[in-house]
Amino acid sequence: MRLLLLSMVLIFTAGCMDKNAKPFDVKNLAKSDIDMVADINLKTLRKLSRDLTIKLYKRNPKELQKVSGMTVEKRLEQLFPITRLADGFPELGQKDGADAVPLAFSDNYQGDRVFALMAGVTGMLDKAYNGKKEIFILDELDQQKLYNSARNLESVAWHLNNRKDPQGNLYILSNGISEEGITNYSYERILGKLIGTQDLMADVIADKTNRTINRVVHGAASMTFFPI
C-alpha cells in the first residue's frame, strides 16, 4: 500500500513540475522528517568517527607502522567504504564490529590496535543502521540496536581509558596531560558525541514506533557487548 501511495505521489509531482524550475531530486519524496534526521546523524557519525581515527593515529603512530606501507588515508578507505565487507577484515581474522574490539586490548595481539578499535566502532555503528548510508521511508530502524550501540560505545570509551598491558602502559593512548600540563579530553568528547547521537536517535525511533527501549544496566568494564 505504501509503495502504491508513493508511486502516485511521484506521478502527480512529475506532472505538476514547472519545466523552468530547478530539477527536483525525486528521492526526497521517499523520505520522512525522521529519515532526514537519520541522514544527518549518519553524516555526523561518519565525520566524528573519521576524526577519532585520525586523532588516534596521530597519538599512536607506532600502530600504523606495524603494517608496511600503511597510511592513515588507506585506513580511512578501509573503515569507510561504500559497502562494508560482509565477512570482516582479513587483517583482523575476519572480525568486524564488536568482535574486533577485544583485539585492541589483547596481550597477544601484535597488529594495529587502532585499526582493530575503529573497525569495532565503525562496524557497530554500521550495524545499528542496518548497513544503510541513507535512510528512506521503507527503511526500518530498530531503537534497541541504536540504544545497544550507544552502551557498547560507552564500554569502548572505558577500555580506551583504562586497559593496560602487563607493563602498566595503556594499550592505546588517547586522553591525557601533556608535558606542558595541558589537559586533552578531545577523544572523550568525540566518543561522548557518538554516544549522545545514538541515544537521541534511539529515543526518536522509539517515539515514532511507540516501542519501548529495554534499558539494561551494563558494566562498562565488560568486554561482552550488547547484540546489534
Side-chain angles (χ1 to χ4, degrees), residues 94-105:
Q94 306 304 144
K95 291 181 171 59
D96 192 7
D99 294 332
V101 177
L103 293 175
F105 305 104

Side-chain angles (χ1 to χ4, degrees), residues 128-221:
Y129 290 86
N130 301 319
K132 301 288 185 179
K133 299 298 183 289
E134 193 172 1
I135 306 300
F136 294 95
I137 287 177
L138 297 182
D139 294 323
E140 293 187 4
L141 295 179
D142 187 319
Q143 73 283 348
Q144 195 64 50
K145 284 185 178 182
L146 294 162
Y147 174 84
N148 287 355
S149 69
R151 303 290 72 76
N152 289 349
L153 288 174
E154 286 179 342
S155 292
V156 167
W158 188 93
H159 290 297
L160 186 60
N161 288 321
N162 293 278
R163 286 293 182 188
K164 297 180 179 180
D165 62 23
Q167 288 71 47
N169 301 310
L170 289 168
Y171 284 111
I172 302 175
L173 299 176
S174 57
N175 302 304
I177 302 176
S178 68
E179 295 180 357
E180 294 77 20
I182 300 175
T183 302
N184 180 5
Y185 288 119
S186 58
Y187 302 86
E188 189 170 305
R189 285 195 293 272
I190 291 177
L191 281 164
K193 289 177 181 178
L194 289 171
I195 294 166
T197 299
Q198 290 301 83
D199 273 332
L200 177 60
M201 198 67 223
D203 287 336
V204 168
I205 297 301
D207 183 68
K208 172 190 174 184
T209 59
N210 197 29
R211 294 174 181 170
T212 302
I213 296 174
N214 184 18
R215 302 180 186 275
V216 181
V217 177
H218 182 246

Side-chain angles (χ1 to χ4, degrees), residues 56-116:
L56 285 172
Y57 274 123
K58 285 183 177 179
R59 190 89 162 86
N60 302 270
K62 67 177 183 180
E63 297 302 321
L64 195 65
Q65 295 165 6
K66 290 179 178 179
V67 180
S68 178
M70 185 55 67
T71 65
V72 174
E73 289 71 24
K74 289 179 180 179
R75 283 305 195 203
L76 292 175
E77 289 175 2
Q78 289 177 291
L79 293 168
F80 303 97
I82 295 176
T83 302
R84 201 172 183 93
L85 295 173
D87 55 353
F89 295 96
E91 183 181 335
L92 303 177
Q94 306 304 144
K95 291 181 171 59
D96 192 7
D99 294 332
V101 177
L103 293 175
F105 305 104
S106 169
D107 293 341
N108 299 321
Y109 186 62
Q110 301 300 315
D112 182 342
R113 295 180 186 275
V114 170
F115 181 60

